[in-house]
Amino acid sequence: MNSKLEHSLGGTFVKEVPEDVVWIDDAFYIFKTRFGLYTSVLKEPYGAHFITGPTEDAVLTMTRWHLKSLQDGTLDEVTKVINNGVVGGKL
């Protein structure tokens, strides 16, 4: 599989990006959620939620790693999908 950014997105977007936001690497910013987690938000596609984690540093590290792996084309070499979370059959 040739991973692309759209394969990594869950479809959640920020309704309003704050005007005073500080863009990290001119690509994303990180905010603290109401549940105490941290989420990175991409500049392109604008406002897309990307990585969520327990600490700001963890989200910073993994967002940079994930974006670089996508850019280098190496994401498929170092990641594996174990389960897609879809429940089969009739409920």
Side-chain angles (χ1 to χ4, degrees):
M1 182 176 170
N2 189 7
S3 288
K4 296 181 180 164
L5 179 60
E6 51 268 13
H7 299 150
S8 298
L9 300 177
T12 305
F13 287 80
V14 171
K15 292 178 184 168
E16 282 190 37
V17 174
E19 290 182 25
D20 62 342
V21 72
V22 177
W23 293 100
I24 301 167
D25 302 334
D26 199 34
F28 65 95
Y29 74 92
I30 298 173
F31 76 96
K32 189 172 185 176
T33 71
R34 64 184 176 143
F35 302 109
L37 298 173
Y38 293 86
T39 298
S40 57
V41 177
L42 299 178
K43 194 170 190 179
E44 186 60 42
Y46 193 73
H49 285 200
F50 192 51
I51 303 282
T52 298
T55 66
E56 188 171 7
D57 187 53
V59 172
L60 174 68
T61 300
M62 290 312 300
T63 299
R64 282 181 167 158
W65 177 85
H66 199 111
L67 289 173
K68 182 165 182 4
S69 295
L70 283 169
Q71 183 180 13
D72 295 345
T74 59
L75 188 63
D76 291 329
E77 298 169 15
V78 293
T79 59
K80 182 178 178 181
V81 175
I82 303 298
N83 187 346
N84 64 7
V86 175
V87 177
K90 188 175 179 181
L91 296 178

